[in-house]
Amino acid sequence: MTPTPTSTSPRPPGSRSDPVALSVVVPTRDRTTRLLLTLTALGQQTLPPDRYEVILVNDAADATDDARGAGTADDGSATGAVAQVLAAVPARVPLRMAKTGGRGPARARNKGADLARGEVLLFLDDDTLATPGLLAAHLRAHEAAGPLVVHGSVTDLSAFALTPDPAELRPALVGARGRSIDAAALADLAEHARLLGPRRSFIERTARAVLDAPGRERLHWLACIGTNTSVRRTVYDRAGGFDEHYGELWGGEDLELGLRLQATGAAFALLEATAYHLPGARRDAADLLARFWLRVADRYGDPRLAEVGAFLAGRLPLDGLADLLTPAASVLAPGRAGP
């Protein structure tokens, strides 16, 4: 595995001998206001703060060490995006910091998992707001025996779909028709979200479709969505973690992990506890999805997997994908993959 920079920490980092019940892994790159809202929401949990930690992994290229309130630049291209956020995050957030230097989301998530002290790993994106009971609900879900991947509900707030993250940190994110969200709204997030265009994304609807309908057991891995998804460390390690082979290429490192999780015997379950996503439009999404899944197909030696990109881009129906992937798609042997 390629050596990575040493992690930094705005809080005492603890050790594996000082465990918590749950570790939230948040990869980030060049985020400001969205990230601040994400971290602030994680400080308003019903789960006591001594039972969880938040590991923020800065994947910005050329990131330097951060310290809370130090005001040092962490990212030459984003004028210290993470440093701005760290200076504003409420002290109650049990936060630790790491960096990966621009190696992509898979490496960032693996780095966070490597540092985590919790037995349960919850992956959350840097633009996703946890409702107050979310972490406690994930922890309860893993009280059941057996290997389990738990995906919580994700609701997009479409009012912000065309809103770029500001280069300089702002206290509120302002979207379409002047609708906004700030830290004060997090106390009653579900009520506030009703005014912000709530909807379920395509992949969120897919997760529910494959888990709720009989006969789609081979596609349960499509519920391994990269945000609001938790797994026990032992289950994650058995599958090898995220595959770092794809580098910075966007398009499905979470679903690819789901393939291997399912191959190792993990079951998948939905959790109704909700997180709210502050989406951003990607005009190149269809092209990136196609490129990513062509790479997956090549890596697995299974041309059928290239069609996952067509499905995610809306060019292939779910039943069509199910027919293509029956019998089950081949999978890589468990074990973390490197470049």
Side-chain angles (χ1 to χ4, degrees), residues 217-236:
E217 289 78 12
R218 292 191 188 276
L219 296 180
H220 280 186
W221 56 272
L222 286 168
C224 188
I225 300 172
T227 194
N228 201 10
T229 295
S230 64
V231 62
R232 284 191 173 273
R233 173 185 298 281
T234 50
V235 179
Y236 172 88

Side-chain angles (χ1 to χ4, degrees), residues 245-246 248-252 282 284-299 305-310 313 315:
H245 171 77
Y246 307 100
E248 296 183 71
L249 183 60
W250 177 88
R282 298 192 72 121
D284 57 350
D287 176 62
L288 291 171
L289 289 166
R291 288 169 55 198
F292 186 95
W293 287 95
L294 278 170
R295 290 273 302 275
V296 175
D298 180 67
R299 187 156 175 76
L305 288 170
E307 296 304 317
V308 176
R315 297 194 299 265

Side-chain angles (χ1 to χ4, degrees), residues 149 218 220-225 239 241-242 252-264 266 268 293 300 331:
V149 180
R218 292 191 188 276
H220 280 186
W221 56 272
L222 286 168
C224 188
I225 300 172
F242 289 91
E253 76 284 342
D254 47 359
L255 298 180
E256 190 277 337
L257 172 61
L259 273 172
R260 287 179 284 115
L261 284 165
Q262 185 159 350
T264 63
F268 293 77
W293 287 95
Y300 280 50
V331 294

Side-chain angles (χ1 to χ4, degrees), residues 192-216:
H192 196 77
R194 293 191 309 108
L195 307 175
L196 299 174
R199 63 176 177 81
R200 281 184 175 153
S201 68
F202 171 80
I203 192 61
E204 182 70 14
R205 296 195 306 271
T206 297
R208 292 175 178 276
V210 297
L211 291 183
D212 287 345
R216 288 176 171 161

Side-chain angles (χ1 to χ4, degrees), residues 22 40 59 63 128 133 181 198 215 228 282:
L22 181 145
T40 301
D59 189 47
T128 305
I181 187 167
N228 201 10
R282 298 192 72 121

Side-chain angles (χ1 to χ4, degrees), residues 87-98:
V89 173
R92 64 179 174 272
V93 182
L95 182 64
R96 299 167 63 203
M97 183 73 198

